[in-house]
Amino acid sequence: MGAKTALLAYADGDVASALKAAGEPTAEDTAALTARVFPGCRADPTEGEVLGEATYPPDGLTYAASFTGVDMVCDRHLVFDRPSELPAHLLEAAAGRRVILHAMHSVSDWLAFAVWEDGRLVRSLSLSPDGGIAENIGDPFPFEAPYWAGERPVEFDPEWDEEPYALPFHPLDLGNEALRAFFGFLLEGRPAPEDVDPDVVPLLGFCLFADSNEPSS
């Protein structure tokens, strides 16, 4: 598995429907979105990327898009071990819309996601096999149920594994399912006919610079 994400979204309604209807993002609106998410930074436009390749940009690069119904920002600085600690200005930027944070990293089998409704945290989960469950706040979403019920275990192979997997499921499996539930697309696995094709959703690219005119870190 090689899926990685660092994705923040502000949604008015169903994100999948908004992404299916999305055309080219508006440069002015997307620049304003980037300014709200990264206050005090200058965002210089650079080459964009499709969503399927933009979910975990290199350091110093941000991909973002403002579409009708959903704003999306992909940036490594949006990754938090405990999603509930999302900075206040990022919640304020939602202006009452739903906030969705999704982050995962295939090297450490780490997953974190969280959802806020009207500024209130309703669900936050962060876990990895080495760190265990760092955060588990709120009621699980329906798509999580088979995983917590033990119906999606990681198969133990004594020829390759020294001991059984430390969690009742693989975080990246759940992370991929969360992507589909929240955004309507997958990064790995076989997409369903009704899924969003992330390789046709365009995002704009930005290089961020702090007030000192040095690249932001």
Side-chain angles (χ1 to χ4, degrees):
M1 294 183 178
K4 301 175 184 178
T5 64
L7 173 59
L8 179 69
Y10 302 116
D12 296 317
D14 181 62
V15 176
S17 298
L19 293 179
K20 288 177 181 179
E24 289 292 328
T26 304
E28 182 177 355
D29 291 343
T30 303
L33 166 66
T34 305
R36 292 194 300 273
V37 172
F38 301 105
C41 292
R42 188 184 83 240
D44 290 353
T46 187
E47 185 177 359
E49 185 58 275
V50 295
L51 177 59
E53 300 293 333
T55 57
Y56 195 76
D59 278 334
L61 186 61
T62 298
Y63 292 118
S66 182
F67 299 119
T68 300
V70 63
D71 291 338
M72 305 184 74
V73 181
C74 301
D75 190 289
R76 293 190 188 187
H77 294 98
L78 301 174
V79 171
F80 301 92
D81 288 337
R82 296 179 180 272
S84 65
E85 298 176 356
L86 191 74
H89 80 274
L90 294 177
L91 295 177
E92 293 167 0
R97 292 173 295 170
R98 190 184 204 206
V99 180
I100 307 169
L101 177 68
H102 188 287
M104 63 182 180
H105 200 289
S106 56
V107 173
S108 58
D109 289 357
W110 172 71
L111 166 69
F113 63 76
V115 175
W116 291 259
E117 302 281 2
D118 295 322
R120 181 179 64 88
L121 180 67
V122 297
R123 178 68 172 135
S124 180
L125 178 67
S126 176
L127 75 170
S128 68
D130 290 335
I133 299 175
E135 189 161 86
N136 187 5
I137 299 172
D139 295 331
F141 289 107
F143 70 83
E144 299 180 56
Y147 295 87
W148 294 112
E151 298 174 13
R152 303 287 192 273
V154 177
E155 184 176 351
F156 175 61
D157 186 345
E159 293 186 5
W160 295 95
D161 303 317
E162 295 182 0
E163 56 186 28
Y165 198 72
L167 295 170
F169 52 82
H170 200 293
L172 299 189
D173 288 343
L174 178 58
N176 212 36
E177 196 63 39
L179 275 177
R180 172 179 270 163
F182 295 144
F183 304 105
F185 72 92
L186 299 176
L187 287 180
E188 293 187 328
R190 180 175 297 178
E194 66 272 15
D195 284 348
V196 172
D197 182 353
D199 293 330
V200 300
V201 179
L203 274 65
L204 304 184
F206 298 90
C207 293
L208 296 186
F209 296 86
D211 289 335
S212 63
N213 292 324
E214 295 294 330
S216 64
S217 58

